[in-house]
């Protein structure tokens, strides 16, 4: 019996494969860290006052929708523009919930250190995270930034935003401990 060698499927170019791997790894990281960061708002408030569980779910689901549609647009699973619009809507929804909705009404009843932490984290979500949709626009909608540059920008933004997030939480804990 003569066996034929298995058919080989054409492999994507190494550069294209590397870009896709970076996207996948970046989104795996974001799927772990971004929902945790958003839920941190709920956890900070729940540690010091009564908070409706719906705030937890609004932030968790908003972050997942934002990330899943962002990935679908970047990976070509869905057209980039509709994916961007849905992801942006989820980001703006979370900002609304925190700035004008359930989060804001609860934080006003907490200590000064919790309010400072909350407002600092909100600033990171609004200003620090604006880098990501800008990168998406310039990289995927306009094609004005190559994949390596975009990856560098995203990594630097992750580095700064995640460290700032951690420092704000640490500062709130220290301040709250001193007032207790």
């Amino acid at each position: 019996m003569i066996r034929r060698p298995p058919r080989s499927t054409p492999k994507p170019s190494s550069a294209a494969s590397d870009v896709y791997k970076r996207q996948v790894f970046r989104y795996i990281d974001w799927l772990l860290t971004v929902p945790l960061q958003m839920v941190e708002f709920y956890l900070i408030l729940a540690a010091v006052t009564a908070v409706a569980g719906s705030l937890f779910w609004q932030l968790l689901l908003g972050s997942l929708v934002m990330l899943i549609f962002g990935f679908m647009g970047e990976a070509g699973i869905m057209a980039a523009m509709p994916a961007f619009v849905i992801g942006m809507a989820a980001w703006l929804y979370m900002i609304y919930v925190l700035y004008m909705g359930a989060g804001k009404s609860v934080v006003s009843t907490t200590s000064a250190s919790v309010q400072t932490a909350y407002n600092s984290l909100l600033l990171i979500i609004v200003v620090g995270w604006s880098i990501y949709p800008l990168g998406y626009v310039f990289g995927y909608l306009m094609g004005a930034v190559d994949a390596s540059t975009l990856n560098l920008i995203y990594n630097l933004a992750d580095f700064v935003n995640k460290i700032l997030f951690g420092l704000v939480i640490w500062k709130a804990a220290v301040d709250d401990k001193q007032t207790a």
Side-chain angles (χ1 to χ4, degrees), residues 53-179:
S54 60
L55 179 62
F56 173 90
W57 291 108
Q58 289 170 328
L59 297 174
L60 179 65
L61 294 175
S63 63
L64 292 174
V65 167
M66 177 182 71
L67 293 168
I68 290 167
F69 281 93
F71 177 74
M72 290 171 62
E74 284 191 33
I77 297 168
M78 182 178 179
M81 181 57 84
F84 175 75
V85 169
I86 294 168
M88 284 296 296
W91 181 47
L92 294 172
Y93 170 74
M94 290 183 294
I95 292 170
Y96 171 80
V97 167
L98 294 169
Y99 188 71
M100 300 176 77
K104 190 63 173 183
S105 63
V106 173
V107 77
S108 63
T109 66
T110 63
S111 69
S113 61
V114 172
Q115 288 181 27
T116 299
Y118 184 94
N119 291 327
S120 298
L121 293 176
L122 186 54
L123 189 63
I124 294 168
I125 299 300
V126 173
V127 177
W129 285 17
S130 66
I131 295 165
Y132 304 106
L134 289 172
Y136 192 102
V137 167
F138 288 116
Y140 293 97
L141 299 180
M142 296 174 61
V145 179
D146 65 280
S148 294
T149 302
L150 187 59
N151 190 53
L152 177 65
I153 292 167
Y154 281 160
N155 286 332
L156 288 173
D158 281 352
F159 181 76
V160 171
N161 288 322
K162 290 174 184 176
I163 288 173
L164 285 176
F165 227 86
L167 288 174
V168 167
I169 300 300
W170 173 79
K171 175 82 167 99
V174 168
D175 288 350
D176 209 45
K177 184 178 178 181
Q178 290 174 352
T179 59

Side-chain angles (χ1 to χ4, degrees), residues 2 9 28-30 32 57 74 82-83 88 163 166:
I2 301 174
T9 56
I28 289 171
D29 170 50
W30 287 347
L32 295 171
W57 291 108
E74 284 191 33
M88 284 296 296
I163 288 173

